[in-house]
Amino acid sequence: METASPRPLRAGIIGCGVGRSHIRGYAANGAEVVALAGLDEERCRQAQQEYSIPYVYRDYQDLLARDDLDMVSIAVPNYLHAEIALAALERGLHVCVEKPLAHTVADAERIVNAPRRPDQQLMIMFNWRFRSDSQAMKRYIDTGAAGHLYYAKAGWMRRSGIPGLGGWFTQKALSGGGPLIDLGVHMLDLSLWLLGYPKAVSVVGATYAEFGPRGRGSFGGRFATGAGGYEVEDLATAFIRLETGTTLLLEASWASFSHFKDDFYVHLYGADGGAEMNVKEYTEVDTLTFYGEVAGAPVEMKPTVKAGQAHSLGIQEFMGAIREHRPNLSPPEQGLALMQIIDGIYRSASDGREIQL
Ligand SMILES: NC(=O)c1ccc[n+]([C@@H]2O[C@H](COP(=O)([O-])OP(=O)(O)OC[C@H]3O[C@@H](n4cnc5c(N)ncnc54)[C@H](O)[C@@H]3O)[C@@H](O)[C@H]2O)c1
């Protein structure tokens, strides 16, 4: 007997920068992208043509007012995440919001506490979790082969990559901060996810702004520069104590005199083994090394994994959770925990002391 295949899910996208990776993700996973909203008309029209999207709006409320959508992706500046997520949840839609969950702890709390149906999805796009190498590292850690993980190091360092000097990224009230909340949040998430999301108990942080205030270190390219000031750090470093006794050393920079254009990593140190993920210039090959011992001799293992488009894999998870009526793997409570740590790091940096969380 033939069973009818379910109708395609219908998506709306708000924001047309990284929002385009969501569009590609929905298309790759068999969804219909019905509508797009954004203020940058030209970019939106280009995306409309490229991906054959029927409707484009300037006002996101017009997109949310449609009655044919199942889900929306929110890919707008950080200060708008809460306002738009709350409006979309109220419309009954499944919501996938870009990282960070919000620009402040208060807004992250508003999102987490917003009323929603038990089966209504609210997922944060932590795309790097869905890379095949991250997934392989998670599976390895979860076997217990590395034993108790007592130390971790993670970071994302850029040679010259301040997004949009003077635009929303570099204005504290709009972004919530610099590379710590932009890039560091990814690596903090990846580390905590691999470690099973233990709570953080205290943080010490320091921040620096050596490039941005002098108009240096810009990414150029797709990010428009603006007339706003440079109000955030361009490098942050932090030492984080977790409730398990494990400590985590974190660094994030948009601009620094260093080797690679983009270099991100997570290193985990366990009592019986270790694991490293090193991603230079976004490569997906040869990024993993697992360390252990065989018959008393130290060994290095180099797993080979298939490359995949991380945003598409994230959207696959979002749509899978919708279809299967199950919790998604990147829930908002984790986004709130990250915001509390990031806020603690900024407070530690400005007060010059350790902050208890
Ligand atoms: N997961 C990732 O790898 C990744 C990568 C880049 C950005 N991001 C996140 O995505 C979000 C957007 O970043 P971006 O790089 O695309 O920024 P961007 O500045 O390139 O694009 C922002 C988009 O939001 C739209 N927008 C702004 N205000 C709006 C409003 N009131 N109503 C409707 N649309 C509005 C703009 O028109 C634009 O299309 C941020 O939260 C950022 O942290 C995530």
Side-chain angles (χ1 to χ4, degrees):
M1 195 178 76
E2 263 183 45
T3 48
S5 52
R7 71 159 176 80
L9 292 171
R10 299 192 185 106
I13 317 287
I14 304 174
C16 194
V18 78
R20 282 171 301 185
S21 300
H22 290 246
I23 298 172
R24 285 192 289 273
Y26 287 118
N29 286 288
E32 283 175 20
V33 178
V34 178
L36 170 66
L39 303 182
D40 37 2
E41 239 164 74
E42 204 187 313
R43 226 169 24 162
C44 289
R45 291 283 165 214
Q46 274 173 7
Q48 176 177 35
Q49 281 173 9
E50 191 176 344
Y51 301 106
S52 309
I53 302 170
Y55 301 93
V56 172
Y57 303 97
R58 188 173 167 80
D59 189 338
Y60 75 84
Q61 296 281 11
D62 291 337
L63 181 146
L64 293 181
R66 297 185 64 88
D67 56 13
D68 57 352
L69 297 179
D70 298 292
M71 56 202 174
V72 283
S73 276
I74 300 175
V76 294
N78 302 345
Y79 75 101
L80 288 168
H81 287 190
E83 171 188 315
I84 300 182
L86 264 58
L89 288 172
E90 207 180 316
R91 286 288 293 151
L93 297 166
H94 301 287
V95 172
C96 178
V97 59
E98 264 298 344
K99 50 52 67 174
L101 182 55
H103 68 315
T104 60
V105 171
D107 261 19
E109 280 169 346
R110 284 171 66 208
I111 297 177
V112 167
N113 296 330
R116 63 192 151 104
R117 299 184 313 272
D119 72 334
Q120 191 178 0
Q121 298 294 331
L122 174 54
M123 176 173 142
I124 313 178
M125 178 52 83
F126 278 121
N127 42 314
W128 301 133
R129 280 191 197 187
F130 299 100
R131 288 171 58 108
S132 310
D133 45 9
S134 308
Q135 293 283 329
M137 189 155 163
K138 177 75 172 150
R139 289 195 300 276
Y140 170 68
I141 293 302
D142 287 351
T143 64
H148 170 57
L149 298 164
Y150 54 92
Y151 181 54
K153 275 199 302 199
W156 188 328
M157 301 295 282
R158 274 190 185 158
R159 174 75 175 81
S160 188
I162 297 176
L165 263 175
W168 72 264
F169 274 100
T170 65
Q171 297 179 57
K172 179 86 175 169
L174 308 185
S175 59
L180 175 63
I181 197 169
D182 182 41
L183 306 178
V185 71
H186 274 300
M187 306 323 289
L188 187 55
D189 172 69
L190 208 48
S191 315
L192 293 182
W193 172 69
L194 289 163
L195 293 168
Y197 252 92
K199 282 203 176 77
V201 292
S202 71
V203 296
V204 180
T207 56
Y208 307 88
E210 297 291 343
F211 288 74
R214 291 187 285 159
R216 299 175 68 182
S218 173
F219 195 95
R222 91 167 169 91
F223 296 100
T225 55
Y230 194 90
E231 304 163 353
V232 296
E233 82 282 3
D234 50 36
L235 187 149
T237 178
F239 181 75
I240 302 160
R241 282 185 197 281
L242 305 172
E243 62 181 350
T244 46
T246 304
T247 54
L248 167 59
L249 195 59
L250 179 71
E251 60 182 4
S253 177
W254 276 338
S256 56
F257 286 111
S258 55
H259 190 82
F260 294 99
K261 275 203 304 212
D262 269 279
D263 177 7
F264 61 81
Y265 65 91
V266 180
H267 299 177
L268 300 179
Y269 300 84
D272 301 312
E276 281 187 9
M277 175 173 165
N278 291 298
V279 180
K280 315 284 189 204
E281 319 297 19
Y282 295 98
T283 182
E284 303 219 26
V285 295
D286 293 335
T287 56
L288 286 179
T289 313
F290 300 160
Y291 299 93
E293 264 180 12
V294 172
V299 291
E300 280 181 23
M301 293 161 276
K302 289 272 187 196
T304 28
V305 292
K306 239 179 39 198
Q309 214 285 327
H311 264 91
S312 291
L313 295 167
I315 295 291
Q316 184 179 47
E317 163 58 17
F318 179 53
M319 289 175 55
I322 293 172
R323 287 239 185 263
E324 292 156 25
H325 306 281
R326 60 165 171 82
N328 67 70
L329 293 175
S330 187
E333 291 75 15
Q334 294 176 350
L336 172 58
L338 294 171
M339 277 311 298
Q340 287 162 338
I341 297 172
I342 286 170
D343 177 67
I345 295 170
Y346 283 133
R347 280 189 288 135
S348 170
S350 73
D351 296 1
R353 63 185 175 89
E354 182 170 9
I355 299 286
Q356 306 297 321
L357 296 174

